[in-house]
Amino acid sequence: QVRLVESGGGSVQAGGSLRLSCAASGYSFRWPCMGWFRQAPGKEREWVAAIGGANTTAYADSVKGRFTIYQDNARKTLYLQMNSLKPEDTAMYYCAMDPGCPLSRRQATYLGQGTQVTVSS
């Protein structure tokens, strides 16, 4: 059973930084793709970033240049380094996994429970 457990969320002032982590376990896919989604109150869930084969990365325009996605394959952990945070980044952030690449930008197969990020102005 696939399990994705996020951590690292919290409250920060605008301009600050946070690093989210996602520990993945219970999967047997040889080459899964992973990424992050977020959902703000009253809004639809949106795709944020993804990492695929050969560590290729992709970002939503709203976070490009501020967020960095990377992974530690040995520890089966995914990260999202978030810099220059803005109030509009406030959301629940979800770790996501698909059995293959690319990660769906609409609805991934597996999602974690989420970690809250709150950015105050």
Side-chain angles (χ1 to χ4, degrees):
Q1 181 174 342
V2 176
R3 188 166 185 237
L4 304 173
V5 180
E6 303 94 336
S7 61
S11 296
V12 65
Q13 289 192 326
S17 298
L18 285 172
R19 188 181 76 162
L20 305 183
S21 300
C22 171
S25 62
Y27 64 92
S28 58
F29 318 121
R30 188 169 183 183
W31 305 112
C33 265
M34 298 186 69
W36 295 91
F37 286 76
R38 68 185 181 185
Q39 187 167 17
K43 295 188 176 180
E44 292 188 353
R45 188 175 297 158
E46 65 171 339
W47 172 84
V48 175
I51 187 166
N55 285 326
T56 55
T57 58
Y59 299 92
D61 288 344
S62 58
V63 306
K64 200 173 294 183
R66 299 187 298 119
F67 290 11
T68 302
I69 186 172
Y70 61 101
Q71 61 188 354
D72 182 335
N73 289 325
R75 297 185 178 185
K76 296 186 177 181
T77 303
L78 179 72
Y79 300 95
L80 185 67
Q81 178 66 45
M82 305 185 296
N83 298 329
S84 302
L85 283 162
K86 304 175 181 180
E88 51 263 43
D89 294 319
T90 295
M92 185 72 79
Y93 283 72
Y94 299 90
C95 178
M97 176 186 283
D98 273 336
C101 294
L103 181 76
S104 170
R105 298 191 182 190
R106 299 183 64 181
Q107 184 172 353
T109 305
Y110 301 100
L111 282 180
Q113 293 299 305
T115 186
Q116 178 68 37
V117 171
T118 302
V119 185
S120 58
S121 57

